[in-house]
């Protein structure tokens, strides 16, 4: 009798997990339809396959950052040079990051930004080129993908060390959630 109850309980747990996965994929797919993307990255499928990230990416929960527009290739937008605004870093790696903000600017031409961010108690000033833009219509926010450039090896190692620390802390927290 106990064996049959265990089998039924196992089947119920598997069904609940399958339902959660299905609902999650449904909402992710529905959410992605509400985004409009603009990108300077290649759209050729052969080139996209080569665009594989070599660095691990850490999700930061709306880490505030100060963004400065350093250079805009479009001469009509030159008045925006040195404009500063606040945003939030969504995720980061040693090669780039994605930030969200309410400021909307075109990225079809080259745009260089400087980002000032504190991760844990460490401050970083990172320069990079905006390579992708996603407009989130429901949240009225814009997400920009930035590829770092002119990052010294010393700074890359420092950033990598801090990101590893953040990842270890997140893993410890996630492991603690299941412990009672």
């Amino acid at each position: 009798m106990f064996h049959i109850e265990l089998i039924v309980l196992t089947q119920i747990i598997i069904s609940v997990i399958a339902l959660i996965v299905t609902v999650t994929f449904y909402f992710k797919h529905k959410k992605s339809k509400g985004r409009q993307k603009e990108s300077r990255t290649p759209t050729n499928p052969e080139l996209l396959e080569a665009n594989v990230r070599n660095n691990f990416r850490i999700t930061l929960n709306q880490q505030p950052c100060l963004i400065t527009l350093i250079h805009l290739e479009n001469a009509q937008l030159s008045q925006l040079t040195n404009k500063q605004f606040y945003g939030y870093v969504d995720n980061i790696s040693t090669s780039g990051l994605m930030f969200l903000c309410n400021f909307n600017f075109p990225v079809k031409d080259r745009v260089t930004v400087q980002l000032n961010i504190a991760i844990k108690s460490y401050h970083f000033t990172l320069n990079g080129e905006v390579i992708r833009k996603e407009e989130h219509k429901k949240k009225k926010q814009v997400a920009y993908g930035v590829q770092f450039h002119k990052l010294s090896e010393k700074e890359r190692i420092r950033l990598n060390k801090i990101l590893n620390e953040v990842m270890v802390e997140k893993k410890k927290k996630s492991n603690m959630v299941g412990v009672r």
Side-chain angles (χ1 to χ4, degrees):
M1 177 109 163
F2 176 73
H3 183 66
I4 294 173
E5 290 174 357
L6 185 62
I7 292 172
V8 171
L9 182 62
T10 304
Q11 289 177 338
I12 291 172
I13 290 172
I14 291 171
S15 297
V16 168
I17 291 171
L19 178 65
I20 291 170
V21 169
T22 304
V23 169
T24 302
F25 280 120
Y26 169 77
F27 282 110
K28 278 192 170 191
H29 177 71
K30 187 176 178 181
K31 183 179 172 182
S32 69
K33 285 186 175 183
R35 298 180 186 169
Q36 179 182 359
K37 294 184 180 181
E38 183 178 329
S39 177
R40 289 181 16 91
T41 57
T43 55
N44 180 338
E46 295 169 4
L47 296 175
L48 282 175
E49 287 182 30
N51 187 16
V52 177
R53 290 190 175 97
N54 294 324
N55 304 299
F56 68 95
R57 190 163 289 277
I58 297 291
T59 300
L60 299 177
N61 296 324
Q62 294 200 343
Q63 182 67 38
C65 67
L66 175 66
I67 301 113
T68 305
L69 297 175
I70 296 175
H71 174 76
L72 293 100
E73 196 172 66
N74 185 335
Q76 294 174 341
L77 299 175
S78 63
Q79 72 272 11
L80 294 177
T81 301
N82 295 322
K83 173 151 179 68
Q84 293 186 322
F85 52 94
Y86 287 95
Y88 298 95
V89 175
D90 181 57
N91 60 60
I92 186 169
S93 74
T94 56
S95 62
L97 60 74
M98 178 173 280
F99 71 87
L100 295 119
C101 67
N102 294 325
F103 188 63
N104 192 344
F105 57 89
V107 298
K108 289 188 179 186
D109 296 315
R110 235 174 251 266
V111 176
T112 305
V113 293
Q114 181 179 72
L115 301 121
N116 291 296
I117 180 173
I119 303 173
K120 296 183 72 162
S121 60
Y122 301 93
H123 181 267
F124 293 91
T125 300
L126 305 164
N127 292 335
E129 181 180 337
V130 177
I131 58 170
R132 188 176 71 249
K133 173 182 174 179
E134 296 176 8
E135 294 183 39
H136 298 259
K137 296 191 184 306
K138 289 182 183 175
K139 295 180 183 178
K140 296 184 180 176
Q141 286 190 317
V142 184
Y144 295 94
V146 176
Q147 183 175 26
F148 299 142
H149 63 77
K150 298 180 183 175
L151 190 63
S152 71
E153 189 61 26
K154 182 179 178 181
E155 193 71 355
R156 187 177 309 278
I157 290 169
R158 182 173 164 253
L159 180 59
N160 191 52
K161 179 182 179 245
I162 302 309
L163 294 180
N164 276 318
E165 287 178 18
V166 171
M167 185 171 62
V168 167
E169 287 175 7
K170 284 185 177 214
K171 280 195 174 221
K172 282 182 183 177
K173 284 182 184 176
S174 70
N175 288 339
M176 295 300 288
V177 170
V179 177
R180 291 185 183 212

